[in-house]
Amino acid sequence: MLHLTFDVKIERPRGTRDFLPDEMEKRRAIERVMRRIAESYGYREVLTPTFEHLELFTIKSGEGIVEEIYAFKDKGGRDLALRPELTAPVMRMFVNECTGMPKPLRFYYFANCFRYERPQRGRYREFWQFGVELIGSNSYLADVEVISLSYEIMKTLKLKFDLHIGHVGLLRHVLRDLDEKKAERIMRLIDKKDVENLDRFLDEIGRTELKDVIYTLMELVGGLDVLDEAKEIVRDFDFSYIERVAQTLESLDVEFKVDLGIARGLDYYTGIVFEAYAEGLGAQNQICGGGSYRLAHLFGGEDTPATGFALGFDRIAEICEIDVERPKKVVVVSFKGLEIEAWRIANMLRDKAVVVTDVMERSVKRQLSYANDIDADYAVIVGERELKEGKVTIKNLRTMEQRTVKMEELLSEL
RNA sequence: GCCCGGAUAGCUCAGGGGUAGAGCGCAGGACUGUGGAUCCUGUCGUCCCGGGUUCGAGUCCCGGUCCGGGCCCCA
């Protein structure tokens, strides 16, 4: 045991967290639900490196993104970055190693990501994402599957959320004759619902005639009938894809709103996009985001359709009230000199329960007191008198009942 | 990068110029064959850092650091 103290107390780096046992048990319980459901749809887990070449993330998002990334040079002078998300790494992995696998591919991941941003509630510099990617299909059924899967996970976790589904193609279509920079800026403002600046910007670039269409689309949030209204406004766009997705989801009893104003900051989305928002999280209320996208060709592969989503695990953990099942906990209490007997009995019981023994050479009283403190279900008391007859005492710490039983009967008593 | 709030014991916090505090926790005892209650004892501090004002500064002033919340941004 060291008894050194140092002048400087070392604290957690900014935007990181420590997870104590109670919280880890809850997080693991949530994680198990997510994994179980994803696996039941045929998704299999993958894991990519914690850091990648910086380029992987700048290819699609531009150099500006570096400000928000943990980027660094390694000792060989390579530009690397801690992954800020997992879609790009998974697609990189797909291009590198999976192009020969039978399509469609169903992958899921659960891993930590890093962003260099000002932390606030629901936003940390190290955070966890659970997500899936369905690679190789351009059918509407792929979008339907991925959306249903995310919906089922959130429902099973009893989250209160609103699921919004849109199509970026529509806004892109409306803005098709603008140059990319202007279109991008408008998409951003739409995503933020910042009408004031949007208005000013459209005036600035002299495209006031777009206002009506854009503002109307932004307000179009609701049931399937929203699509009919949109058709009236944008006559030369093909709504059949989103219509099929929406109708199919509705017949599968997925509750959602059509929201043609979803733009999403990412520019690699190409078709259906969806987001889920939860109550009780403050400003950072988005718990799920996804859609269909094209990335493979950017990483040197064949142009491959893909669709997926990522769940904000930490935000979900914050609002989710899941019942954590704890295994039975037994404390084997021993009188002085019977420690080895206690160990033997503990080892015998470990198949069936969590078993702890005294490692502080404390009195029986203190051992029981400790059993109570750690919320144990049973105490098994090992004493000389019982031991002579091959027996031990088992005490139910909840009901205070206690019985002396033969060693062989002990297992069935729990 | 901007705005607001905070930093005192392991934790939660009080104290706003005059001896460093409470509750909880932790360890032990009262009670050497039985937990939760009670009581007692013990443990615990560069009062974030630097400078200034003052006879005297956790306390007031200035500067800084860090943390949190809200913006910006958000893959």
Side-chain angles (χ1 to χ4, degrees):
Chain A
M1 188 92 112
L2 285 174
H3 290 282
L4 300 171
T5 37
F6 296 92
D7 286 353
V8 191
K9 189 170 173 186
I10 300 186
E11 306 283 356
R12 256 178 291 134
R14 179 157 209 211
T16 62
R17 289 154 297 157
D18 295 315
F19 300 105
L20 273 52
D22 281 347
E23 197 169 358
M24 279 311 296
E25 279 171 7
K26 180 183 178 184
R27 288 172 69 94
R28 290 295 188 203
I30 293 169
E31 185 190 326
R32 274 194 293 276
V33 169
M34 291 179 175
R35 286 177 185 277
R36 175 171 44 81
I37 295 172
E39 283 169 14
S40 76
Y41 276 69
Y43 288 75
R44 300 175 71 203
E45 186 174 15
V46 293
L47 185 62
T48 61
T50 306
F51 54 88
E52 296 268 2
H53 290 292
L54 176 60
E55 198 187 2
L56 176 65
F57 305 110
T58 53
I59 277 182
K60 65 166 196 213
S61 316
E63 291 295 324
I65 208 75
V66 176
E67 295 302 309
E68 291 151 34
I69 280 183
Y70 272 95
F72 56 96
K73 275 195 197 298
D74 74 2
K75 291 180 180 179
R78 287 172 276 255
D79 281 307
L80 300 176
L82 300 182
R83 59 178 170 226
E85 51 114 19
L86 279 137
T87 299
V90 169
M91 288 313 287
R92 192 228 77 226
M93 178 191 76
F94 164 72
V95 168
N96 289 165
E97 290 151 275
C98 311
T99 48
M101 293 168 74
K103 310 247 176 356
L105 274 68
R106 290 182 170 92
F107 290 152
Y108 81 86
Y109 57 80
F110 175 68
N112 51 348
C113 303
F114 307 84
R115 295 186 194 178
Y116 192 83
E117 293 180 298
R118 186 87 212 264
Q120 53 190 273
R121 182 161 185 213
R123 171 189 281 181
Y124 306 97
R125 288 186 170 181
E126 183 187 25
F127 59 98
W128 275 258
Q129 284 196 338
F130 182 96
V132 312
E133 310 295 347
L134 172 51
I135 303 165
S137 166
N138 58 8
S139 163
Y140 74 102
L141 291 167
D143 288 311
V144 168
E145 173 169 306
V146 162
I147 294 170
S148 311
L149 173 51
S150 72
Y151 182 82
E152 189 179 332
I153 289 174
M154 293 187 284
K155 271 285 170 196
T156 305
L157 291 171
K158 297 193 174 84
L159 304 176
K160 293 194 183 99
F161 63 95
D162 273 326
L163 178 61
H164 287 213
I165 297 173
H167 195 294
V168 283
L170 180 57
L171 282 170
R172 292 249 166 85
H173 178 77
V174 170
L175 304 172
R176 65 189 176 283
D177 58 332
L178 288 167
D179 71 66
E180 212 175 298
K181 282 222 161 127
K182 284 175 186 153
E184 200 176 294
R185 170 136 173 90
I186 292 172
M187 295 285 271
R188 287 253 160 92
L189 293 169
I190 293 171
D191 190 32
K192 274 190 287 183
K193 315 268 180 258
D194 186 349
V195 181
E196 229 174 274
N197 282 315
L198 190 53
D199 208 68
R200 205 172 303 145
F201 189 67
L202 289 170
D203 286 339
E204 227 169 84
I205 60 172
R207 298 300 298 268
T208 48
E209 87 282 359
L210 289 173
K211 284 186 185 176
D212 263 355
V213 184
I214 292 176
Y215 297 169
T216 312
L217 288 180
M218 279 172 69
E219 309 229 317
L220 279 180
V221 180
L224 287 182
D225 48 310
V226 158
L227 290 171
D228 293 324
E229 288 179 54
K231 276 186 204 163
E232 294 297 314
I233 306 159
V234 187
R235 291 183 175 277
D236 51 350
F237 181 76
D238 182 8
F239 283 86
S240 61
Y241 190 94
I242 185 169
E243 233 163 11
R244 254 190 297 178
V245 171
Q247 280 164 1
T248 312
L249 286 169
E250 194 166 70
S251 56
L252 291 171
D253 297 323
V254 172
E255 294 162 63
F256 63 94
K257 289 187 180 119
V258 174
D259 180 350
L260 299 172
I262 300 181
R264 291 192 64 69
L266 266 177
D267 43 14
Y268 58 75
Y269 284 101
T270 50
I272 294 288
V273 284
F274 60 103
E275 299 182 339
Y277 318 97
E279 296 167 21
L281 274 169
Q284 313 298 326
N285 67 342
Q286 192 188 320
I287 55 169
C288 176
S292 54
Y293 58 89
R294 300 266 170 166
L295 272 180
H297 63 289
L298 293 176
F299 304 149
E302 228 174 282
D303 189 21
T304 309
T307 181
F309 66 79
L311 293 165
F313 187 84
D314 308 272
R315 293 176 188 176
I316 288 173
E318 193 170 325
I319 51 170
C320 182
E321 289 171 31
I322 194 170
D323 289 324
V324 178
E325 275 181 44
R326 293 198 169 82
K328 286 238 176 315
K329 201 184 277 184
V330 179
V331 175
V332 177
V333 170
S334 60
F335 287 94
K336 223 173 182 64
L338 299 175
E339 291 81 5
I340 292 170
E341 277 309 317
W343 271 100
R344 287 214 180 95
I345 290 162
N347 283 340
M348 189 178 84
L349 296 174
R350 285 199 168 105
D351 279 342
K352 247 192 141 171
V354 170
V355 185
V356 303
T357 56
D358 171 60
V359 290
M360 286 179 76
E361 302 184 46
R362 289 200 272 216
S363 67
V364 165
K365 189 180 193 65
R366 284 291 153 195
Q367 292 181 53
L368 277 164
S369 177
Y370 177 71
N372 191 58
D373 286 343
I374 64 169
D375 205 27
D377 301 283
Y378 296 95
V380 170
I381 300 161
V382 182
E384 224 162 324
R385 291 209 290 267
E386 297 92 327
L387 222 46
K388 269 185 204 152
E389 306 169 37
K391 290 179 175 176
V392 288
T393 297
I394 177 163
K395 178 168 192 159
N396 184 321
L397 293 169
R398 311 240 181 261
T399 63
M400 297 165 86
E401 286 172 80
Q402 91 174 42
R403 325 200 298 136
T404 298
V405 300
K406 286 218 174 76
M407 209 76 90
E408 310 86 74
E409 295 164 14
L410 188 53
L411 269 174
S412 51
E413 286 291 317
L414 296 178

